[in-house]
Amino acid sequence: MKSSVCFLLLLFSFTSVLAQQKSIIGNEVNPFFYSITKSKVYSKAAVVCAHPLASEIGVAIMKRGGNAFDAGIAVNFALAVVYPGAGNIGGGGFLMARQSDGRLIALDYREKAPAKASRNMYLDSAGNVIPDLSINGHLSAGVPGTVAGLFAMHQYAKLPMKELIQPAIDLAQRGFAITEAEAGSLNHTKQDFIQFNTRPTAFVKDSLWKAGDTLVQPELAQTLMRIRDSGAAGFYEGETARLIVEEMQRGNGLVDYTDLKNYQAMERKSIQFNYRGYTIVSFPPPSSGGLLLAEMLGMIESFPMHEYGFETVRSTQLMIEAERRAYADRATYMGDPDFWKVPVKTLISKAYLQQRMKDYDSLRASKSENIAAGVIHESEETTHISIMDKDGNMVAITTTLNNSYGSKTVVGGAGFLLNDEMDDFSSKPGVPNMYGAVGGEANAIAPGKRMLSSMTPTLVLKNNQPYVVVGTPGGTTIPTSVFQTIVDIIDFDMSAAQAVNNPKFHHQWLPDEVMIEPAFPVDTQKALEGMGYTFAKRGAIGRTEVIKVNKGCIEAAADVRGNDSAAGY
Ligand code: GLY
């Protein structure tokens, strides 16, 4: 008996050593030496996301027998470590997926307003919005959904959760070399980290960060270990919950034990529609993304876009007018479907969309003041992951803390950033949020309600077979970037890389202006100005990640606008 116990113990320690030896970090993935791949063709499977280490981890997981869902979970956890500006466990997100047998999964793990939240919580006694209260610090945080989402996603995966989270633990514990962009962004946010934290954080050090510095996050590693060992309860209950609630109490936040314990991810019915014979599948409310995409593509479908040509005056003007009208509907009709009846069917019906374009004039700009919502008888940091595996499972995940580094508040002792997703609610009807988006009753704050999102994880099928996986960060610019990427691929026959890297433009009804990236063609801009359009130049719009099936191969394209990187085999 004694000897068999000894043998078992020996076997156990041997397997532990073996498991340790087999850690992805230090074997398949070197956290101190990695490179960025912008665009590559693979034969079996690919991952595209905001950080090369996370893409490589996703591929290593698939090579070890995992599918696209396993990879999605592992990439998510890894991004929470290597891309803290948007990768997260303290935020929320959406998964839009298609299993190889054709089953669609729309998983909603969006943050919720805490039970103590109230409609006017960001207004002063005169009824004015208090600047920044919904954007920075403890009070801006919604109840995090990411960890519940990743556990709900796990039912579609093949490998044990412990294996999927371990690379993130190793990266947090042992550290990794940060990129130049991360160094710049941590330095830029230093004062905010100091202002909005009650305890020291791993993101602040005496000297400035520089490329190649090692970022070690021991408290985050401990939190991830609690999740590994106790499942979702390792986050929503016990020690982590205690640390979150204590952090809230130190900073006037509202999230409490009951909010955490009650949080649940939900399966939703995806938005599905046809565009020129392709099937588009995208995310329903509480995201506005899928509806906006369906509206915009539906409004331009009867026009010969291919004939008009890419970024010509004709095609751009038409797309701007479709964007303007769709976003006017967003402000009035869209909100959490558990609290507000969103007229989904009507908004995407052909009859409604034709009616919506009745006053479209191809020779001049409409004025947003004359465009109301249709009549019915309803710092931009987020991050996107596109994955396709060898069996044809398609996974599109968009996840967010909202702003870059969310509320800037790290949970003391737990090492992760809290979101500032409460700003995605409409704090006061008609007053724009951080993205300049206005809203009304549909998206007013209420306890337990999910704030309206723009995240648009999207799949495209050709002849009912996997064709494109696409998504991007960018706040309210997300749906227009996905819209333009799909038009570039379907109407203008572009490769994944071209579609991703083309200059983007964006109109969101209010303000009544077209935002453009610096590389937007000047001739088109000048001609459109002559028709009455106002332009506003801005920096990068989104960081779109595309996987496209082409002649049996997989084209993977990571956006040139960041450190985004593709990996595959
Ligand atoms: N926080 C960005 C979005 O959900 O749209």
Side-chain angles (χ1 to χ4, degrees):
M1 176 67 184
K2 210 170 171 185
S3 66
S4 61
V5 170
C6 286
F7 174 71
L8 279 176
L9 280 175
L10 208 66
L11 190 68
F12 177 71
S13 57
F14 177 68
T15 11
S16 316
V17 170
L18 209 64
Q20 203 128 42
Q21 278 172 349
K22 278 193 176 166
S23 167
I24 284 177
I25 303 305
N27 288 287
E28 292 100 312
V29 177
N30 182 341
F32 298 100
F33 186 76
Y34 53 88
S35 60
I36 292 172
T37 303
K38 283 299 173 195
S39 168
K40 198 162 170 180
V41 177
Y42 301 99
S43 59
K44 289 194 170 67
V47 178
V48 196
C49 77
H51 198 287
L53 285 172
S55 295
E56 286 178 25
I57 286 168
V59 170
I61 287 288
M62 289 196 279
K63 283 187 175 166
R64 287 181 173 205
N67 63 17
F69 296 92
D70 292 283
I73 294 166
V75 170
N76 243 288
F77 277 124
L79 284 174
V81 181
V82 297
Y83 188 53
N88 67 83
I89 55 172
F94 301 129
L95 160 80
M96 186 65 252
R98 181 180 188 268
Q99 287 180 299
S100 50
D101 62 6
R103 185 178 159 197
L104 297 172
I105 300 147
L107 186 65
D108 165 1
Y109 47 99
R110 180 73 163 161
E111 300 92 326
K112 293 171 79 162
K116 291 199 206 91
S118 54
R119 188 187 178 90
N120 296 333
M121 62 188 275
Y122 299 116
L123 305 187
D124 63 17
S125 52
N128 299 316
V129 174
I130 303 166
D132 264 15
L133 208 55
S134 63
I135 297 177
N136 287 316
H138 302 67
L139 200 59
S140 66
V143 185
T146 295
V147 174
L150 298 183
F151 276 87
M153 209 181 291
H154 191 241
Q155 64 188 295
Y156 308 108
K158 289 160 75 176
L159 302 179
M161 193 57 137
K162 289 184 186 336
E163 280 186 41
L164 307 179
I165 198 171
Q166 194 59 44
I169 295 172
D170 293 342
L171 285 168
Q173 204 167 32
R174 300 183 212 165
F176 65 98
I178 61 169
T179 60
E180 193 176 342
E182 189 65 58
S185 154
L186 287 173
N187 292 335
H188 178 78
T189 319
K190 184 172 182 171
Q191 283 318 312
D192 283 343
F193 285 137
I194 292 168
Q195 183 178 347
F196 297 110
N197 280 285
T198 59
R199 294 284 182 273
T201 89
F203 304 127
V204 175
K205 61 184 180 88
D206 292 341
S207 58
L208 289 180
W209 291 96
K210 56 185 187 332
D213 280 354
T214 301
L215 176 61
V216 185
Q217 300 168 78
E219 290 179 346
L220 176 58
Q222 292 296 322
T223 301
L224 292 169
M225 283 186 229
R226 286 192 291 275
I227 297 170
R228 177 193 64 192
D229 299 339
S230 307
F235 183 87
Y236 292 100
E237 299 174 46
E239 175 72 356
T240 313
R242 183 182 67 78
L243 292 167
I244 295 172
V245 173
E246 284 179 6
E247 184 60 57
M248 286 286 136
Q249 286 162 352
R250 285 196 293 271
N252 256 342
L254 299 183
V255 178
D256 67 15
Y257 289 109
T258 319
D259 290 320
L260 292 167
K261 193 145 190 229
N262 288 346
Y263 185 88
Q264 279 188 332
M266 298 185 69
E267 292 228 356
R268 306 272 183 194
K269 189 172 177 305
S270 59
I271 301 286
Q272 245 192 91
F273 58 97
N274 272 302
Y275 178 68
R276 302 195 199 285
Y278 294 80
T279 307
I280 317 284
V281 187
S282 193
F283 213 87
S287 181
S288 59
L291 284 177
L292 290 174
L293 189 61
E295 287 201 61
M296 293 184 291
L297 287 169
M299 285 187 227
I300 68 164
E301 193 175 14
S302 61
F303 296 85
M305 288 295 287
H306 184 78
E307 219 172 85
Y308 291 172
F310 169 67
E311 280 186 358
T312 57
V313 175
R314 197 79 214 266
S315 67
T316 308
Q317 193 243 356
L318 175 63
M319 291 170 82
I320 290 170
E321 291 302 333
E323 292 177 3
R324 183 200 306 278
R325 285 163 177 75
Y327 276 77
D329 286 350
R330 180 191 197 274
T332 302
Y333 295 122
M334 300 180 202
D336 181 348
D338 297 339
F339 285 72
W340 182 262
K341 192 163 170 13
V342 184
V344 172
K345 266 201 185 135
T346 311
L347 285 174
I348 64 175
S349 72
K350 284 224 176 322
Y352 174 75
L353 295 174
Q354 270 165 14
Q355 185 62 32
R356 212 72 185 91
M357 289 301 268
K358 269 263 156 67
D359 57 354
Y360 162 65
D361 181 341
S362 66
L363 298 177
R364 61 185 60 84
S366 308
K367 291 270 163 260
S368 287
E369 62 194 39
N370 300 328
I371 303 268
V375 179
I376 293 182
H377 297 287
E378 162 219 68
S379 145
E380 298 196 3
E381 278 302 329
T382 290
T383 191
H384 179 80
I385 307 162
S386 289
I387 307 178
M388 189 149 1
D389 69 19
K390 66 176 175 37
D391 299 319
N393 290 302
M394 306 165 83
V395 161
I397 294 170
T398 314
T399 181
T400 187
L401 288 167
N402 199 18
N403 219 349
S404 188
Y405 304 102
S407 61
K408 323 291 185 305
T409 299
V410 176
V411 175
F416 64 88
L417 279 150
L418 287 165
N419 66 82
D420 62 328
E421 218 68 62
M422 291 297 285
D423 190 62
D424 271 348
F425 278 119
S426 172
S427 292
K428 184 179 176 183
V431 177
N433 73 355
M434 180 167 69
Y435 302 111
V438 290
E441 193 55 37
N443 191 31
I445 304 173
K449 187 173 176 183
R450 284 161 153 92
M451 54 297 283
L452 184 63
S453 172
S454 299
M455 294 189 287
T456 315
T458 298
L459 314 174
V460 182
L461 308 176
K462 187 178 181 179
N463 302 322
N464 212 27
Q465 294 302 312
Y467 185 46
V468 170
V469 184
V470 56
T472 180
T476 47
T477 68
I478 294 173
T480 50
S481 291
V482 172
F483 170 48
Q484 287 159 41
T485 306
I486 290 177
V487 169
D488 288 352
I489 290 175
I490 294 181
D491 291 287
F492 302 130
D493 306 318
M494 289 190 186
S495 68
Q498 286 170 313
V500 162
N501 297 320
N502 280 331
K504 302 279 189 295
F505 55 92
H506 173 74
H507 195 296
Q508 60 178 41
W509 181 51
L510 294 176
D512 191 349
E513 63 185 19
V514 188
M515 293 175 214
I516 48 171
E517 291 189 302
F520 188 82
V522 178
D523 292 353
T524 303
Q525 180 189 341
K526 290 238 154 10
L528 288 169
E529 278 169 348
M531 293 164 75
Y533 291 92
T534 304
F535 282 79
K537 279 234 162 77
R538 51 161 283 171
I541 296 184
R543 287 165 66 173
T544 310
E545 322 286 20
V546 169
I547 287 177
K548 178 185 167 200
V549 176
N550 189 9
K551 299 190 182 95
C553 292
I554 298 174
E555 273 177 42
D559 205 309
V560 290
R561 293 166 181 85
N563 287 321
D564 309 49
S565 189
Y569 68 102

